Amino acid sequence: MAKANQYKFCFGPWNISQGGDPYGPTTRPEQSFDWKLDQLKALGFDAMMFHDDDAVPDIDNKSEKQILTEAKELKKKLDDAGLVAEMVAPRLWFSPMTIDGGYTSNDPKCRRYAIDRSLRCIDIANILDTDILVLWLAREGTYLRESKSGKRSVELMVEAFDKMLAHDKKIRLAIEPKPNEPMDHAYIPTIGHALAVAQLTTDARRVGALIETAHCILAGLDPADEIDFAMTFGKLWSLHLNDQNGLKFDQDKPFGSTNLRSAFNQVRVLERNGYGKHGEYVCFDVHPFRTTKSEQTLAHLDNSRRTFLRLVEKARTFDEARAKSLIAERDYQALDQMVIEHLLGK
Ligand code: XLS
Ligand code: MG
């Protein structure tokens, strides 16, 4: 198996989830944050991802001073455990203030809330010593297209991003596109949209992207091509690997669970483009199946990393010279079978 130390791995506390879905209650007991941190370390992962309220629970009811104090306590806990924070992301989809969206809400008070909370989140990122603010723009879209103007919404997002860039000269915004869910349609559905919006900001160099496999599939796109696209611009600053069986609810399956060949192609482009060389992490945004028993509550994380590392090995042992000559001969039939047999093993 390829050596783990060539890639750095992480996940978030929400990736050890309890199995609740819109049709039924949880199926596993809740575990404390400290327990999750211990498990992350025991599994040999390198970093943890944080929503702002993973870092500072109940953040909306705390003063700025209290938020900073608690973020410092968390930093100490991470230091003691020898772990780091990969990113911080404002959770802008729970509050009654974001029912109609955050930055694109039709209510100016709600837009103000979303921006203020994002600035607090940057303060937390500073204390946790990460320069990456992930923006999954969950509710920046509509259930009903007539309820908002698309052009105005893009302008409002740019205004919000500019305030974040001005708040801290080091922070980098990694936009995580997703085409739908919870909204009918989101305003930044793909990497192309994210990078285009970046160009409208006051410091486009600090606005990049995070790609999640499942989100690309939900947009009907190939995750490996999305990765290649972002990396051509030098803008892939984080990555959420998982899997998704076609156009349905966001499944966050273990990496490679649905489409091993697609997973291989994702790993192959990461290898080809040198992902990780500037300190980027491989994160698994995966969830246990609802049927998973408590004893196996970490298996999806360990398995995703195992599959990733096996595919790194497959990418490194792929007969590139033979592939090149088949491409030159335009024998894609043989190339197809070569990939299949390589994945099946001898
Ligand atoms: C949800 C997103 C979320 C982000 C972090 O679909 O993937 O988990 O990665 O806010
Ligand atoms: Mg994600």
Side-chain angles (χ1 to χ4, degrees):
M1 217 189 270
K3 281 203 207 84
N5 65 8
Q6 287 161 319
Y7 283 97
K8 294 186 293 179
F9 297 99
C10 69
F11 61 82
W14 67 91
N15 297 121
I16 305 177
S17 53
Q18 295 118 261
D21 69 18
Y23 304 96
T26 56
T27 55
R28 293 176 294 275
E30 165 131 48
Q31 302 287 357
S32 69
F33 173 78
D34 288 350
W35 186 88
K36 291 177 182 179
L37 198 66
D38 287 348
Q39 304 312 309
L40 183 137
K41 195 171 162 66
L43 282 173
F45 279 64
D46 309 279
M48 191 169 244
M49 310 190 268
F50 289 94
H51 289 118
D52 50 2
D53 58 359
D54 294 320
V56 179
D58 197 22
I59 191 168
D60 280 335
N61 295 315
K62 289 181 178 158
S63 67
E64 249 176 70
K65 190 161 165 260
Q66 185 69 19
I67 292 171
L68 301 184
T69 308
E70 289 190 31
K72 282 180 195 151
E73 284 162 11
L74 173 61
K75 176 70 167 84
K76 172 147 193 339
K77 201 179 271 187
L78 291 174
D79 286 349
D80 291 347
L83 296 169
V84 298
E86 191 252 350
M87 63 83 163
V88 187
R91 195 196 299 271
L92 290 176
W93 50 96
F94 263 53
S95 160
M97 297 297 278
T98 56
I99 291 173
D100 191 28
Y103 316 129
T104 64
S105 170
N106 282 322
D107 180 340
K109 281 195 300 305
C110 296
R111 296 202 295 271
R112 189 70 250 162
Y113 163 85
I115 292 172
D116 282 348
R117 184 150 165 181
S118 305
L119 302 187
R120 292 297 76 71
C121 190
I122 293 174
D123 299 339
I124 296 173
N126 256 317
I127 292 174
L128 297 187
D129 201 21
T130 169
D131 66 350
I132 296 190
L133 188 82
V134 167
L135 296 174
W136 171 48
L137 303 165
R139 298 196 189 278
E140 313 305 349
T142 54
Y143 299 108
L144 189 74
R145 268 306 189 228
E146 296 82 359
S147 66
K148 289 183 187 175
S149 147
K151 181 167 183 288
R152 175 86 181 117
S153 294
V154 172
E155 288 163 359
L156 286 170
M157 284 188 287
V158 170
E159 268 175 41
F161 299 162
D162 280 348
K163 292 208 169 95
M164 295 176 221
L165 294 168
H167 184 71
D168 178 333
K169 291 291 172 205
K170 290 182 311 304
I171 202 75
R172 292 185 292 155
L173 313 181
I175 300 174
E176 180 178 353
K178 184 177 180 183
N180 62 283
E181 203 208 29
M183 308 312 290
D184 180 22
H185 287 290
Y187 283 125
I188 303 197
T190 71
I191 287 303
H193 289 80
L195 298 190
V197 169
Q199 293 308 310
L200 296 180
T201 64
T202 47
D203 193 355
R205 286 167 313 153
R206 289 194 287 134
V207 185
L210 179 165
I211 287 177
E212 175 163 324
T213 313
H215 298 179
C216 303
I217 297 168
L218 287 170
L221 296 171
D222 177 47
D225 276 353
E226 289 284 271
I227 291 171
D228 255 339
F229 189 88
M231 292 193 79
T232 305
F233 288 80
K235 292 279 193 152
L236 189 64
W237 299 338
S238 187
L239 182 65
H240 286 180
L241 295 180
N242 56 18
D243 215 347
Q244 169 75 27
N245 190 11
L247 300 180
K248 46 185 86 172
F249 60 94
D250 188 1
Q251 296 180 306
D252 294 339
K253 286 184 163 198
F255 182 54
S257 167
T258 301
N259 189 335
L260 206 50
R261 184 170 180 168
S262 164
F264 166 69
N265 281 319
Q266 290 167 65
V267 172
R268 188 158 174 254
V269 296
L270 293 171
E271 281 275 302
R272 279 176 150 188
N273 299 333
Y275 184 81
K277 291 215 167 107
H278 304 288
E280 306 91 344
Y281 285 79
V282 172
C283 315
F284 296 111
D285 202 353
V286 292
H287 287 272
F289 302 123
R290 189 165 194 264
T291 45
T292 301
K293 295 180 184 159
S294 296
E295 306 86 272
Q296 284 94 42
T297 195
L298 302 168
H300 60 305
L301 294 159
D302 193 39
N303 291 344
S304 291
R305 184 180 51 181
R306 284 178 69 83
T307 305
F308 178 89
L309 290 171
R310 289 288 297 272
L311 289 173
V312 167
E313 203 172 79
K314 285 287 173 190
R316 289 180 188 170
T317 54
F318 187 65
D319 190 344
E320 296 288 353
R322 173 137 193 272
K324 206 171 162 195
S325 84
L326 292 174
I327 290 165
E329 290 159 28
R330 211 181 69 202
D331 189 352
Y332 299 162
Q333 208 68 64
L335 180 64
D336 182 37
Q337 191 60 17
M338 181 187 152
V339 173
I340 292 171
E341 290 192 12
H342 184 62
L343 289 177
L344 289 173
K346 282 280 145 51

